[in-house]
């Protein structure tokens, strides 16, 4: 549903505009670059930098759900950190995500 802007099997489950608002940060918004430089933040959603709309949902114990609506790619990262410490935006996971999008993200 996230990769299809709220639709599933031809039916709109989540209002499309709400999902677009949650996963897109306008350039002049105070939510842009709030925590980490060049990352935006939507409705509990991290907006990845760049022209292409991609976003990430993060769990505090290392879980992640990466979404690229343009290509319909989704990557799920499971994790079970004992404590919610460390960088939730793992450089290794980000490198893997960008490599997957570069390899398979063309429609």
């Amino acid at each position: 549903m996230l990769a299809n802007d709220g639709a599933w099997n031809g039916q709109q489950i989540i209002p499309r505009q709400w999902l677009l608002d949650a996963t897109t940060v306008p350039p002049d918004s105070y939510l842009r670059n709030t925590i980490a430089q060049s990352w935006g933040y939507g409705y509990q959603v991290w907006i990845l930098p760049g022209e292409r709309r991609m976003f990430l949902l993060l769990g505090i114990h290392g879980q992640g759900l990466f979404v690229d609506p343009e290509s319909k790619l989704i990557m799920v990262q499971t994790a079970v950190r004992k404590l919610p410490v460390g960088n939730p935006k793992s450089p290794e996971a980000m490198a893997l995500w960008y490599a997957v999008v570069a390899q398979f993200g063309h429609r």
Side-chain angles (χ1 to χ4, degrees):
M1 247 183 349
L2 291 172
N4 290 297
D5 293 330
W8 180 254
N9 273 347
Q11 183 178 359
Q12 196 69 40
I13 307 297
I14 299 169
R16 183 175 190 277
Q17 190 58 53
W18 186 91
L19 196 59
L20 290 173
D21 291 344
T23 60
T24 308
V25 178
D28 60 345
S29 171
Y30 73 94
L31 295 172
R32 184 167 294 283
N33 303 331
T34 54
I35 304 298
Q37 192 173 36
S38 77
W39 287 62
Y41 195 63
Y43 307 164
Q44 299 291 313
V45 178
W46 291 101
I47 314 301
L48 299 178
E51 296 298 316
R52 186 177 186 137
R53 181 173 65 103
M54 292 192 290
F55 55 94
L56 170 62
L57 289 79
L58 291 172
I60 63 169
H61 293 284
Q63 313 89 333
L65 180 65
F66 300 74
V67 182
D68 176 21
E70 183 178 318
S71 65
K72 308 298 184 226
L73 285 173
I74 302 223
M75 181 175 84
V76 177
Q77 174 184 337
T78 59
V80 289
R81 292 183 190 151
K82 287 185 180 187
L83 298 173
V85 297
N87 183 2
K89 295 176 243 161
S90 154
E92 296 85 0
M94 293 309 305
L96 175 60
W97 174 244
Y98 281 113
V100 166
V101 171
Q103 180 73 30
F104 302 106
H106 307 287
R107 290 191 59 123

